[in-house]
Amino acid sequence: MRRLQTPIYFVSPTPYNILGLDQWVGPFEYISYFDSFDSHHPHVFVPSHEAQPEFASFEAVNTYLLSHKEVTDRIHARGGGKALFVMFEEETEELAGELGLEIALPPRELREHIDSKITTTHLANEAGIESAPNVLSRAGSYKELLQLAKKGKLGTDLVVQTPYGDSGRTTFFISDEVGWNEHVEKFVGEDLKIMRRIEHLPGTLEACATRHGTLVGPIQTDITGFEELTPYRGGWCGNDIFPNVFTEAIRKRIRTMARKLGDTLYANGYRGVFCLDFLVENDTGEVYLGEINPRISGASPLTNLITSKYGGVPLFLFHLLEFLDVDWELDLKRVQKRWEEYDEWSQLVLKQTEDVVELITQAPPSGLWRMGDDGRVEHLSPVTTWHTVGHDDEAFYLRVYGNGDYRYKGADLGVIVSRGRMQTDDRRLTDRARRWADGITSLFAGVPPEQAPVVPEPLYTKWF
Amino acid sequence: MSTEGIRDRAPGFHEATVTFRSIVEEQPGDRLKDLFDVAWPAYRRWFLRDGELARPSYARCLRALRTYVPELVPVYEKLVGTVGGGDLEARFLSLWEPTPFFSACSIAAVPGADRGIVRNYDYVPALCETTLLASQLAGRRTLAMSDCLWGVLDGVNEDGLAVALAFGGRRVVGRGFAITLLLRYLLEMCATVEQAIEAARIVPVNLAYNVVVADAEGDAAFLQIAPDHEPVLSRDVLFAGNRQGKTEWAEHAVMTETVAREEAIAAALVSGPGREELERAFLSEPIYRPHLRHTWGTVYTASYSCRDRTVRLLWPDESWELSLAAPYEEERTRRMVMTMPPVLERTFEPPHTPDVIFA
């Protein structure tokens, strides 16, 4: 991989998902929107732009990047290559084509198809996998919802999901009519997945569907909904990764599910990495399929960290092999075996919780940090990857918004990757997690946004 | 811009020095770069007025140029390189879907076989480049009053085709180039009025504008250009103010007194005047609009001769003739009293990127 000639570009708001991969792959470059590393990272290119224009979506950021003259000049100078995205839209595809970039991902339509929670359930059935007990249907009223639930023996304490979108926004807990009415406009006219609410532990993993079978990355638990970290109820705040998660039997069930699903996806034309969210029911230890994210994801960082550090090779390399037009062999069992022993690691996603808008005047830099006994954190070194985190009192921080950007409720303030766990077995945030989150976020400073600067306008507003 | 320090003046009357200059540069080089460097800060603010994402990306701008005016792409790329090659600069210079701006103006073709065009350019002087550019950008030699460096407000080319624009007085905004790019294209690519009409059918323009074209063979036409319909052609009525037919935008019409100007031009044309007589009409009120009384006063009057390939820049007290055959560089300054428009307070919205950065 290091001898690769084809330039590979990861085009994304930040290098977050596959940070560190440039150590493994030859001409690899991150094209990012946010300058997380203040120009330190030798393989990150950030085109110049006005501070923080308003993007409609994640995909729109990628379209913006590939439309920017500095990016297109750079890609043209190096003569095309391959592109990777977390998410992309039709226009991003067109632009990649115009630039002579081949997208090293499954086709957009296939990804979109699989992204639907309805398709997921069908795929699971095809793969012989258990989804959480559910009914797929449409409901025009709460009464209809209850009828459907009754048919599926789901009871009245329900979880309703709409097909597309981030789980945090599309999952609704409905135990009475009030709950239904609160979001009724989102339900009526949509295909719904109606489920029995089960007490469970959520988890995730990244797997890679290849011609030689499905490689399964290490199992992660989800950290969600903590008010110290996110203003969104049920919002994703990070993951823990440790070998003795759940029980041996449950781990086996999870891996089997991932393998079956990966093989089914491959049979349906999907190649490469995907993220699998699952639920482990508290009482029974049953493992249910939650959701498939057919893309590079938030599960990628810890997966690649563990598989490279302890297993010798990051999982993502196998994804690249699928798209590099080379013949390759794999002893799948042997590779999997190398990913069974590792230490505890975690990632915390920090979102601004206060409802306050500020122009940032000070922000902690990305890099290696250490926490003292008093809970204060100090910046040790501007490293550009989390692989160098050594002691338990160290962590890697990746910044998003910096000086001159705005922060507001829900803004992503960054990610912390460290050794050890951030969540206890009974799903409480550890003190350590709180201190890291606090330590970093307290280093942001800002001022209230200015009122409108007075502009000599050549035309009266009323003309528009 | 050419007007010293006008930007920060309070509303009301101000006296200022406006510099008119002629520049001779065949291909984009130092002269255009210098002009750009002076003008860019103001242009950049205007370009970003509605936010960076409100303007099309570089990829889209280039695609539009390649689609509609491919012959201009090589000189466009050279121009972009000359001014530094940046993303914003390249998008701005493409003149594709620019920040909408509206102006005024009067235009008329000189009647008879010895064609020409007389026009008044009415706008806020502070926002004009007041530059006459003699160049050979894409093959033909041209002499034109410029805007956004290479856009054309009015001009003539070596074949004797003359063009001029006036705002059409409609608020409609659509997908297209600035009108000044269409006029640049006409001068670069067309020798006759027939060819200009064909080209105007193909190149989309974002706003409603009136265009008069005239050529050395004695042909002339008046085109109503708009983003929401095909160009409307007239060969009989060869003049315009700031309307396309009936008044659509009453406030604008009243402010620019377009009806009075149109009537005055029509009256002047009744007797079949020669070029000088038409010039005198344009230099008299109501066609001529003194700055002391109008925010959008007449910045300059231009009179083109198709046969001679010459332009006369005119003011009530001065006249400056230049010819395409022998262009030269010169600067002339004028004291102008002008009215600054009232200031506008804009409400501020901190930008929100999508909630999902880590996904």
Side-chain angles (χ1 to χ4, degrees), chain B residues 58-110:
Chain B
Y58 171 69
R60 288 205 171 179
C61 291
L62 188 60
R63 212 180 280 152
L65 287 164
R66 285 185 174 150
T67 304
Y68 297 110
V69 293
E71 302 91 339
L72 294 186
V73 172
V75 69
Y76 161 77
E77 290 184 327
K78 193 163 179 191
L79 189 59
V80 169
T82 301
V83 305
D87 179 78
L88 285 185
E89 292 88 326
R91 291 155 71 186
F92 163 75
L93 284 170
S94 75
L95 294 174
W96 174 250
E97 294 193 50
T99 315
F101 74 100
F102 305 132
S103 54
C105 307
S106 313
I107 49 179
V110 177

Side-chain angles (χ1 to χ4, degrees), chain B residues 6-289:
Chain B
I6 197 67
R7 198 146 318 283
D8 308 313
R9 303 280 182 90
F13 297 116
H14 298 281
E15 216 185 56
T17 306
V18 180
T19 304
F20 291 82
R21 65 180 70 77
S22 66
I23 287 182
V24 182
E25 187 159 77
E26 259 186 30
Q27 285 282 296
D30 287 337
R31 309 294 283 115
L32 281 175
K33 178 170 194 330
D34 289 342
L35 199 65
F36 183 84
D37 287 343
V38 169
W40 178 234
Y43 275 142
R44 188 179 192 274
R45 267 196 303 273
W46 172 63
F47 182 78
L48 294 173
R49 187 192 73 189
D50 302 332
E52 194 198 330
L53 294 188
R55 303 269 67 77
S57 66
Y58 171 69
R60 288 205 171 179
C61 291
L62 188 60
R63 212 180 280 152
L65 287 164
R66 285 185 174 150
T67 304
Y68 297 110
V69 293
E71 302 91 339
L72 294 186
V73 172
V75 69
Y76 161 77
E77 290 184 327
K78 193 163 179 191
L79 189 59
V80 169
T82 301
V83 305
D87 179 78
L88 285 185
E89 292 88 326
R91 291 155 71 186
F92 163 75
L93 284 170
S94 75
L95 294 174
W96 174 250
E97 294 193 50
T99 315
F101 74 100
F102 305 132
S103 54
C105 307
S106 313
I107 49 179
V110 177
D114 188 3
R115 287 292 186 191
I117 293 180
V118 179
R119 74 95 98 255
N120 279 358
Y121 185 73
D122 303 334
Y123 200 35
V124 179
L127 301 162
C128 297
E129 279 183 12
T130 54
T131 299
L132 187 69
L133 174 65
S135 59
Q136 192 169 3
L137 297 180
R140 281 189 164 81
R141 281 176 299 124
T142 63
L143 186 64
M145 288 299 282
S146 67
D147 185 68
C148 299
L149 227 64
W150 69 317
V152 166
L153 301 171
D154 46 80
V156 66
N157 69 14
E158 66 183 42
D159 294 295
L161 178 72
V163 300
L165 59 82
F167 176 54
R170 300 176 58 215
R171 255 176 299 207
V172 60
V173 181
R175 267 250 135 126
F177 289 101
I179 185 69
T180 51
L181 186 85
L182 170 64
L183 261 56
R184 169 55 67 190
Y185 189 71
L186 296 182
L187 287 185
E188 296 296 333
M189 303 305 300
C190 307
T192 64
V193 164
E194 275 304 328
Q195 289 173 2
I197 292 168
E198 278 319 297
R201 291 199 211 281
I202 299 170
V203 180
V205 171
N206 70 328
L207 298 173
Y209 269 86
N210 295 325
V211 175
V212 164
V213 293
D215 67 25
E217 283 161 27
D219 199 2
F222 163 47
L223 294 156
Q224 290 178 12
I225 312 260
D228 57 350
H229 61 69
E230 290 290 302
V232 174
L233 172 65
S234 169
R235 280 213 148 89
D236 309 307
V237 175
L238 295 170
F239 70 94
N242 306 121
R243 293 188 303 165
Q244 294 185 332
K246 288 193 344 264
T247 305
E248 260 189 47
W249 190 358
E251 277 174 304
H252 185 275
V254 163
M255 188 188 113
T256 60
E257 295 173 317
T258 185
V259 175
R261 284 186 285 120
E262 291 164 36
E263 285 171 356
I265 303 172
L269 288 171
V270 157
S271 57
R275 189 176 160 209
E276 281 77 15
E277 204 183 323
L278 196 55
E279 286 170 11
R280 280 194 294 275
F282 269 65
L283 287 167
S284 314
E285 297 185 64
I287 308 174
Y288 184 81
R289 296 163 56 73

Side-chain angles (χ1 to χ4, degrees), chain A residues 260-296:
Chain A
K260 280 185 180 169
L261 191 60
D263 293 345
T264 305
L265 282 172
Y266 199 84
N268 278 280
Y270 188 94
R271 300 178 285 155
V273 296
F274 61 95
C275 170
L276 167 61
D277 287 344
F278 53 83
L279 289 66
V280 177
E281 191 166 12
N282 289 354
D283 300 333
T284 62
E286 279 294 331
V287 176
Y288 296 116
L289 174 63
E291 185 175 300
I292 306 171
N293 286 307
R295 51 179 175 80
I296 299 168

Side-chain angles (χ1 to χ4, degrees), chain A residues 64-122:
Chain A
Y64 173 92
L65 289 170
L66 284 189
S67 301
H68 197 290
K69 185 168 187 290
E70 289 171 25
V71 173
T72 58
D73 284 349
R74 192 179 185 83
I75 293 174
H76 277 134
R78 293 162 98 210
K82 307 229 185 241
L84 295 162
F85 311 97
V86 172
M87 309 202 211
F88 62 99
E89 55 193 357
E90 196 173 342
E91 194 173 346
T92 340
E93 260 181 331
E94 278 171 19
L95 291 162
E98 281 172 14
L99 291 167
L101 291 176
E102 208 183 294
I103 301 180
L105 296 168
R108 183 179 45 88
E109 289 100 335
L110 181 59
R111 284 162 51 113
E112 281 172 11
H113 175 65
I114 294 169
D115 209 11
S116 154
K117 296 178 184 67
I118 313 301
T119 309
T120 299
T121 312
H122 290 310

